[in-house]
PDB file of all heavy atoms in Angstrom:
ATOM      1  N   ILE E  59       0.867  14.571   7.338  1.00 90.00           N
ATOM      2  CA  ILE E  59       0.413  15.537   8.364  1.00 90.00           C
ATOM      3  C   ILE E  59      -0.757  16.320   7.743  1.00 90.00           C
ATOM      4  O   ILE E  59      -0.615  16.875   6.665  1.00 90.00           O
ATOM      5  CB  ILE E  59       1.544  16.512   8.755  1.00 90.00           C
ATOM      6  CG1 ILE E  59       2.707  15.736   9.307  1.00 90.00           C
ATOM      7  CG2 ILE E  59       1.028  17.548   9.776  1.00 90.00           C
ATOM      8  CD1 ILE E  59       3.934  16.608   9.608  1.00 90.00           C
ATOM      9  N   ALA E  60      -1.862  16.299   8.426  1.00 93.00           N
ATOM     10  CA  ALA E  60      -3.033  17.059   7.928  1.00 93.00           C
ATOM     11  C   ALA E  60      -3.523  17.994   9.029  1.00 93.00           C
ATOM     12  O   ALA E  60      -3.498  17.686  10.212  1.00 93.00           O
ATOM     13  CB  ALA E  60      -4.153  16.063   7.580  1.00 93.00           C
ATOM     14  N   MET E  61      -3.941  19.177   8.600  1.00 93.00           N
ATOM     15  CA  MET E  61      -4.492  20.147   9.514  1.00 93.00           C
ATOM     16  C   MET E  61      -5.976  20.289   9.289  1.00 93.00           C
ATOM     17  O   MET E  61      -6.428  20.465   8.163  1.00 93.00           O
ATOM     18  CB  MET E  61      -3.809  21.502   9.353  1.00 93.00           C
ATOM     19  CG  MET E  61      -4.260  22.453  10.406  1.00 93.00           C
ATOM     20  SD  MET E  61      -3.182  23.894  10.690  1.00 93.00           S
ATOM     21  CE  MET E  61      -2.494  24.256   9.156  1.00 93.00           C
ATOM     22  N   ILE E  62      -6.719  20.182  10.374  1.00 95.00           N
ATOM     23  CA  ILE E  62      -8.159  20.309  10.332  1.00 95.00           C
ATOM     24  C   ILE E  62      -8.562  21.533  11.109  1.00 95.00           C
ATOM     25  O   ILE E  62      -8.091  21.782  12.191  1.00 95.00           O
ATOM     26  CB  ILE E  62      -8.834  19.055  10.952  1.00 95.00           C
ATOM     27  CG1 ILE E  62      -8.505  17.813  10.119  1.00 95.00           C
ATOM     28  CG2 ILE E  62     -10.335  19.273  11.026  1.00 95.00           C
ATOM     29  CD1 ILE E  62      -9.040  16.527  10.706  1.00 95.00           C
ATOM     30  N   ARG E  63      -9.436  22.315  10.495  1.00 95.00           N
ATOM     31  CA  ARG E  63      -9.909  23.530  11.142  1.00 95.00           C
ATOM     32  C   ARG E  63     -11.377  23.368  11.500  1.00 95.00           C
ATOM     33  O   ARG E  63     -12.137  22.723  10.798  1.00 95.00           O
ATOM     34  CB  ARG E  63      -9.743  24.730  10.166  1.00 95.00           C
ATOM     35  CG  ARG E  63      -9.974  26.044  10.797  1.00 95.00           C
ATOM     36  CD  ARG E  63      -9.515  27.157   9.878  1.00 95.00           C
ATOM     37  NE  ARG E  63      -9.630  28.433  10.574  1.00 95.00           N
ATOM     38  CZ  ARG E  63      -9.176  29.551  10.085  1.00 95.00           C
ATOM     39  NH1 ARG E  63      -8.547  29.614   8.908  1.00 95.00           N
ATOM     40  NH2 ARG E  63      -9.278  30.682  10.730  1.00 95.00           N
ATOM     41  N   ASN E  64     -11.752  23.944  12.619  1.00 97.00           N
ATOM     42  CA  ASN E  64     -13.161  23.966  13.021  1.00 97.00           C
ATOM     43  C   ASN E  64     -13.977  24.406  11.830  1.00 97.00           C
ATOM     44  O   ASN E  64     -13.648  25.399  11.171  1.00 97.00           O
ATOM     45  CB  ASN E  64     -13.319  24.907  14.204  1.00 97.00           C
ATOM     46  CG  ASN E  64     -14.751  25.094  14.586  1.00 97.00           C
ATOM     47  OD1 ASN E  64     -15.495  25.766  13.889  1.00 97.00           O
ATOM     48  ND2 ASN E  64     -15.147  24.548  15.710  1.00 97.00           N
ATOM     49  N   PRO E  65     -15.121  23.714  11.531  1.00 97.00           N
ATOM     50  CA  PRO E  65     -15.853  24.027  10.303  1.00 97.00           C
ATOM     51  C   PRO E  65     -16.440  25.450  10.299  1.00 97.00           C
ATOM     52  O   PRO E  65     -16.486  26.084   9.264  1.00 97.00           O
ATOM     53  CB  PRO E  65     -16.995  22.980  10.261  1.00 97.00           C
ATOM     54  CG  PRO E  65     -17.024  22.407  11.651  1.00 97.00           C
ATOM     55  CD  PRO E  65     -15.674  22.580  12.240  1.00 97.00           C
ATOM     56  N   ILE E  66     -16.855  25.950  11.461  1.00 97.00           N
ATOM     57  CA  ILE E  66     -17.402  27.320  11.486  1.00 97.00           C
ATOM     58  C   ILE E  66     -16.278  28.317  11.201  1.00 97.00           C
ATOM     59  O   ILE E  66     -16.414  29.247  10.432  1.00 97.00           O
ATOM     60  CB  ILE E  66     -18.094  27.606  12.839  1.00 97.00           C
ATOM     61  CG1 ILE E  66     -19.183  26.594  13.127  1.00 97.00           C
ATOM     62  CG2 ILE E  66     -18.596  29.024  12.886  1.00 97.00           C
ATOM     63  CD1 ILE E  66     -20.288  26.558  12.078  1.00 97.00           C
ATOM     64  N   SER E  67     -15.153  28.113  11.826  1.00 95.00           N
ATOM     65  CA  SER E  67     -13.963  28.968  11.587  1.00 95.00           C
ATOM     66  C   SER E  67     -13.497  28.877  10.136  1.00 95.00           C
ATOM     67  O   SER E  67     -13.168  29.893   9.502  1.00 95.00           O
ATOM     68  CB  SER E  67     -12.826  28.546  12.538  1.00 95.00           C
ATOM     69  OG  SER E  67     -11.668  29.250  12.261  1.00 95.00           O
ATOM     70  N   TRP E  68     -13.544  27.667   9.555  1.00 96.00           N
ATOM     71  CA  TRP E  68     -13.148  27.475   8.169  1.00 96.00           C
ATOM     72  C   TRP E  68     -14.104  28.217   7.236  1.00 96.00           C
ATOM     73  O   TRP E  68     -13.668  28.902   6.304  1.00 96.00           O
ATOM     74  CB  TRP E  68     -13.147  25.962   7.849  1.00 96.00           C
ATOM     75  CG  TRP E  68     -12.694  25.644   6.425  1.00 96.00           C
ATOM     76  CD1 TRP E  68     -11.389  25.597   5.981  1.00 96.00           C
ATOM     77  CD2 TRP E  68     -13.536  25.386   5.329  1.00 96.00           C
ATOM     78  NE1 TRP E  68     -11.384  25.271   4.640  1.00 96.00           N
ATOM     79  CE2 TRP E  68     -12.727  25.153   4.209  1.00 96.00           C
ATOM     80  CE3 TRP E  68     -14.898  25.315   5.128  1.00 96.00           C
ATOM     81  CZ2 TRP E  68     -13.177  24.870   2.954  1.00 96.00           C
ATOM     82  CZ3 TRP E  68     -15.398  25.027   3.890  1.00 96.00           C
ATOM     83  CH2 TRP E  68     -14.546  24.784   2.812  1.00 96.00           C
ATOM     84  N   LEU E  69     -15.386  28.095   7.479  1.00 97.00           N
ATOM     85  CA  LEU E  69     -16.381  28.824   6.659  1.00 97.00           C
ATOM     86  C   LEU E  69     -16.190  30.324   6.739  1.00 97.00           C
ATOM     87  O   LEU E  69     -16.281  31.021   5.756  1.00 97.00           O
ATOM     88  CB  LEU E  69     -17.805  28.418   7.030  1.00 97.00           C
ATOM     89  CG  LEU E  69     -18.287  27.073   6.610  1.00 97.00           C
ATOM     90  CD1 LEU E  69     -19.604  26.714   7.321  1.00 97.00           C
ATOM     91  CD2 LEU E  69     -18.438  27.017   5.088  1.00 97.00           C
ATOM     92  N   HIS E  70     -15.942  30.806   7.948  1.00 96.00           N
ATOM     93  CA  HIS E  70     -15.713  32.236   8.147  1.00 96.00           C
ATOM     94  C   HIS E  70     -14.477  32.673   7.339  1.00 96.00           C
ATOM     95  O   HIS E  70     -14.479  33.712   6.665  1.00 96.00           O
ATOM     96  CB  HIS E  70     -15.526  32.561   9.630  1.00 96.00           C
ATOM     97  CG  HIS E  70     -15.225  33.983   9.903  1.00 96.00           C
ATOM     98  ND1 HIS E  70     -16.160  34.980   9.828  1.00 96.00           N
ATOM     99  CD2 HIS E  70     -14.070  34.599  10.246  1.00 96.00           C
ATOM    100  CE1 HIS E  70     -15.601  36.121  10.099  1.00 96.00           C
ATOM    101  NE2 HIS E  70     -14.318  35.933  10.322  1.00 96.00           N
ATOM    102  N   SER E  71     -13.405  31.932   7.411  1.00 94.00           N
ATOM    103  CA  SER E  71     -12.203  32.209   6.663  1.00 94.00           C
ATOM    104  C   SER E  71     -12.447  32.174   5.153  1.00 94.00           C
ATOM    105  O   SER E  71     -11.998  33.053   4.398  1.00 94.00           O
ATOM    106  CB  SER E  71     -11.106  31.234   7.055  1.00 94.00           C
ATOM    107  OG  SER E  71      -9.942  31.465   6.285  1.00 94.00           O
ATOM    108  N   MET E  72     -13.159  31.146   4.704  1.00 96.00           N
ATOM    109  CA  MET E  72     -13.468  31.012   3.287  1.00 96.00           C
ATOM    110  C   MET E  72     -14.334  32.158   2.806  1.00 96.00           C
ATOM    111  O   MET E  72     -14.147  32.643   1.666  1.00 96.00           O
ATOM    112  CB  MET E  72     -14.201  29.674   3.000  1.00 96.00           C
ATOM    113  CG  MET E  72     -13.313  28.451   3.216  1.00 96.00           C
ATOM    114  SD  MET E  72     -11.910  28.395   2.076  1.00 96.00           S
ATOM    115  CE  MET E  72     -12.731  27.869   0.592  1.00 96.00           C
ATOM    116  N   HIS E  73     -15.238  32.631   3.601  1.00 95.00           N
ATOM    117  CA  HIS E  73     -16.081  33.755   3.237  1.00 95.00           C
ATOM    118  C   HIS E  73     -15.249  34.983   3.019  1.00 95.00           C
ATOM    119  O   HIS E  73     -15.582  35.828   2.198  1.00 95.00           O
ATOM    120  CB  HIS E  73     -17.199  34.012   4.276  1.00 95.00           C
ATOM    121  CG  HIS E  73     -18.279  34.878   3.807  1.00 95.00           C
ATOM    122  ND1 HIS E  73     -18.602  36.027   4.411  1.00 95.00           N
ATOM    123  CD2 HIS E  73     -19.137  34.708   2.738  1.00 95.00           C
ATOM    124  CE1 HIS E  73     -19.605  36.594   3.769  1.00 95.00           C
ATOM    125  NE2 HIS E  73     -19.929  35.828   2.764  1.00 95.00           N
ATOM    126  N   HIS E  74     -14.181  35.097   3.759  1.00 94.00           N
ATOM    127  CA  HIS E  74     -13.277  36.248   3.632  1.00 94.00           C
ATOM    128  C   HIS E  74     -12.430  36.107   2.341  1.00 94.00           C
ATOM    129  O   HIS E  74     -12.339  37.084   1.539  1.00 94.00           O
ATOM    130  CB  HIS E  74     -12.366  36.349   4.834  1.00 94.00           C
ATOM    131  CG  HIS E  74     -11.313  37.395   4.743  1.00 94.00           C
ATOM    132  ND1 HIS E  74     -11.628  38.761   4.746  1.00 94.00           N
ATOM    133  CD2 HIS E  74      -9.978  37.321   4.610  1.00 94.00           C
ATOM    134  CE1 HIS E  74     -10.502  39.428   4.616  1.00 94.00           C
ATOM    135  NE2 HIS E  74      -9.501  38.594   4.548  1.00 94.00           N
ATOM    136  N   ILE E  75     -11.785  35.007   2.142  1.00 91.00           N
ATOM    137  CA  ILE E  75     -10.997  34.746   0.927  1.00 91.00           C
ATOM    138  C   ILE E  75     -10.947  33.247   0.626  1.00 91.00           C
ATOM    139  O   ILE E  75     -10.512  32.448   1.434  1.00 91.00           O
ATOM    140  CB  ILE E  75      -9.573  35.338   0.997  1.00 91.00           C
ATOM    141  CG1 ILE E  75      -8.860  35.172  -0.286  1.00 91.00           C
ATOM    142  CG2 ILE E  75      -8.807  34.732   2.148  1.00 91.00           C
ATOM    143  CD1 ILE E  75      -7.645  36.066  -0.462  1.00 91.00           C
ATOM    144  N   ALA E  76     -11.477  32.856  -0.538  1.00 94.00           N
ATOM    145  CA  ALA E  76     -11.592  31.454  -0.870  1.00 94.00           C
ATOM    146  C   ALA E  76     -10.733  31.051  -2.059  1.00 94.00           C
ATOM    147  O   ALA E  76     -10.870  29.996  -2.611  1.00 94.00           O
ATOM    148  CB  ALA E  76     -13.046  31.115  -1.174  1.00 94.00           C
ATOM    149  N   TYR E  77      -9.795  31.928  -2.470  1.00 91.00           N
ATOM    150  CA  TYR E  77      -8.883  31.631  -3.564  1.00 91.00           C
ATOM    151  C   TYR E  77      -9.560  31.057  -4.786  1.00 91.00           C
ATOM    152  O   TYR E  77     -10.386  31.741  -5.374  1.00 91.00           O
ATOM    153  CB  TYR E  77      -7.709  30.754  -3.075  1.00 91.00           C
ATOM    154  CG  TYR E  77      -6.935  31.397  -1.944  1.00 91.00           C
ATOM    155  CD1 TYR E  77      -7.156  31.108  -0.625  1.00 91.00           C
ATOM    156  CD2 TYR E  77      -6.004  32.385  -2.224  1.00 91.00           C
ATOM    157  CE1 TYR E  77      -6.461  31.695   0.390  1.00 91.00           C
ATOM    158  CE2 TYR E  77      -5.306  33.029  -1.195  1.00 91.00           C
ATOM    159  CZ  TYR E  77      -5.527  32.693   0.096  1.00 91.00           C
ATOM    160  OH  TYR E  77      -4.849  33.311   1.103  1.00 91.00           O
ATOM    161  N   ASP E  78      -9.276  29.821  -5.139  1.00 92.00           N
ATOM    162  CA  ASP E  78      -9.803  29.212  -6.383  1.00 92.00           C
ATOM    163  C   ASP E  78     -11.324  29.169  -6.434  1.00 92.00           C
ATOM    164  O   ASP E  78     -11.903  29.252  -7.497  1.00 92.00           O
ATOM    165  CB  ASP E  78      -9.265  27.790  -6.580  1.00 92.00           C
ATOM    166  CG  ASP E  78      -7.799  27.767  -6.882  1.00 92.00           C
ATOM    167  OD1 ASP E  78      -7.314  28.661  -7.615  1.00 92.00           O
ATOM    168  OD2 ASP E  78      -7.099  26.840  -6.421  1.00 92.00           O
ATOM    169  N   ILE E  79     -11.946  29.015  -5.300  1.00 95.00           N
ATOM    170  CA  ILE E  79     -13.411  28.933  -5.314  1.00 95.00           C
ATOM    171  C   ILE E  79     -14.070  30.199  -4.770  1.00 95.00           C
ATOM    172  O   ILE E  79     -15.176  30.182  -4.218  1.00 95.00           O
ATOM    173  CB  ILE E  79     -13.893  27.678  -4.536  1.00 95.00           C
ATOM    174  CG1 ILE E  79     -13.328  27.624  -3.174  1.00 95.00           C
ATOM    175  CG2 ILE E  79     -13.597  26.431  -5.350  1.00 95.00           C
ATOM    176  CD1 ILE E  79     -13.892  26.479  -2.319  1.00 95.00           C
ATOM    177  N   ASN E  80     -13.417  31.334  -4.984  1.00 95.00           N
ATOM    178  CA  ASN E  80     -13.925  32.608  -4.480  1.00 95.00           C
ATOM    179  C   ASN E  80     -15.361  32.909  -4.933  1.00 95.00           C
ATOM    180  O   ASN E  80     -16.118  33.433  -4.195  1.00 95.00           O
ATOM    181  CB  ASN E  80     -12.980  33.753  -4.884  1.00 95.00           C
ATOM    182  CG  ASN E  80     -13.200  34.977  -4.030  1.00 95.00           C
ATOM    183  OD1 ASN E  80     -13.272  34.869  -2.818  1.00 95.00           O
ATOM    184  ND2 ASN E  80     -13.297  36.114  -4.681  1.00 95.00           N
ATOM    185  N   PRO E  81     -15.755  32.559  -6.207  1.00 95.00           N
ATOM    186  CA  PRO E  81     -17.144  32.845  -6.600  1.00 95.00           C
ATOM    187  C   PRO E  81     -18.170  32.088  -5.719  1.00 95.00           C
ATOM    188  O   PRO E  81     -19.328  32.514  -5.660  1.00 95.00           O
ATOM    189  CB  PRO E  81     -17.213  32.309  -8.035  1.00 95.00           C
ATOM    190  CG  PRO E  81     -15.807  32.373  -8.533  1.00 95.00           C
ATOM    191  CD  PRO E  81     -14.970  32.060  -7.308  1.00 95.00           C
ATOM    192  N   CYS E  82     -17.777  31.051  -5.042  1.00 97.00           N
ATOM    193  CA  CYS E  82     -18.678  30.267  -4.230  1.00 97.00           C
ATOM    194  C   CYS E  82     -19.087  30.981  -2.942  1.00 97.00           C
ATOM    195  O   CYS E  82     -20.084  30.575  -2.305  1.00 97.00           O
ATOM    196  CB  CYS E  82     -18.071  28.922  -3.836  1.00 97.00           C
ATOM    197  SG  CYS E  82     -17.657  27.892  -5.282  1.00 97.00           S
ATOM    198  N   VAL E  83     -18.371  31.989  -2.550  1.00 97.00           N
ATOM    199  CA  VAL E  83     -18.626  32.618  -1.219  1.00 97.00           C
ATOM    200  C   VAL E  83     -19.356  33.957  -1.348  1.00 97.00           C
ATOM    201  O   VAL E  83     -19.359  34.727  -0.401  1.00 97.00           O
ATOM    202  CB  VAL E  83     -17.342  32.718  -0.423  1.00 97.00           C
ATOM    203  CG1 VAL E  83     -16.748  31.362  -0.170  1.00 97.00           C
ATOM    204  CG2 VAL E  83     -16.356  33.652  -1.092  1.00 97.00           C
ATOM    205  N   HIS E  84     -19.942  34.215  -2.478  1.00 95.00           N
ATOM    206  CA  HIS E  84     -20.683  35.480  -2.654  1.00 95.00           C
ATOM    207  C   HIS E  84     -22.154  35.213  -2.827  1.00 95.00           C
ATOM    208  O   HIS E  84     -22.577  34.177  -3.261  1.00 95.00           O
ATOM    209  CB  HIS E  84     -20.121  36.235  -3.865  1.00 95.00           C
ATOM    210  CG  HIS E  84     -18.688  36.634  -3.692  1.00 95.00           C
ATOM    211  ND1 HIS E  84     -18.249  37.568  -2.788  1.00 95.00           N
ATOM    212  CD2 HIS E  84     -17.581  36.147  -4.311  1.00 95.00           C
ATOM    213  CE1 HIS E  84     -16.958  37.691  -2.888  1.00 95.00           C
ATOM    214  NE2 HIS E  84     -16.499  36.839  -3.756  1.00 95.00           N
ATOM    215  N   GLY E  85     -22.956  36.187  -2.435  1.00 95.00           N
ATOM    216  CA  GLY E  85     -24.381  36.084  -2.537  1.00 95.00           C
ATOM    217  C   GLY E  85     -25.016  35.673  -1.240  1.00 95.00           C
ATOM    218  O   GLY E  85     -24.336  35.199  -0.314  1.00 95.00           O
ATOM    219  N   THR E  86     -26.308  35.842  -1.148  1.00 96.00           N
ATOM    220  CA  THR E  86     -27.008  35.549   0.117  1.00 96.00           C
ATOM    221  C   THR E  86     -27.117  34.056   0.392  1.00 96.00           C
ATOM    222  O   THR E  86     -27.268  33.665   1.533  1.00 96.00           O
ATOM    223  CB  THR E  86     -28.427  36.172   0.091  1.00 96.00           C
ATOM    224  OG1 THR E  86     -29.139  35.650  -1.056  1.00 96.00           O
ATOM    225  CG2 THR E  86     -28.402  37.663   0.016  1.00 96.00           C
TER     226      THR E  86
END
Side-chain angles (χ1 to χ4, degrees):
I59 302 174
M61 186 161 33
I62 297 175
R63 190 168 185 171
N64 173 287
I66 302 301
S67 175
W68 182 82
L69 286 169
H70 177 75
S71 176
M72 292 296 284
H73 195 239
H74 175 68
I75 185 163
Y77 300 98
D78 290 323
I79 53 173
N80 200 47
C82 299
V83 299
H84 297 291
T86 57

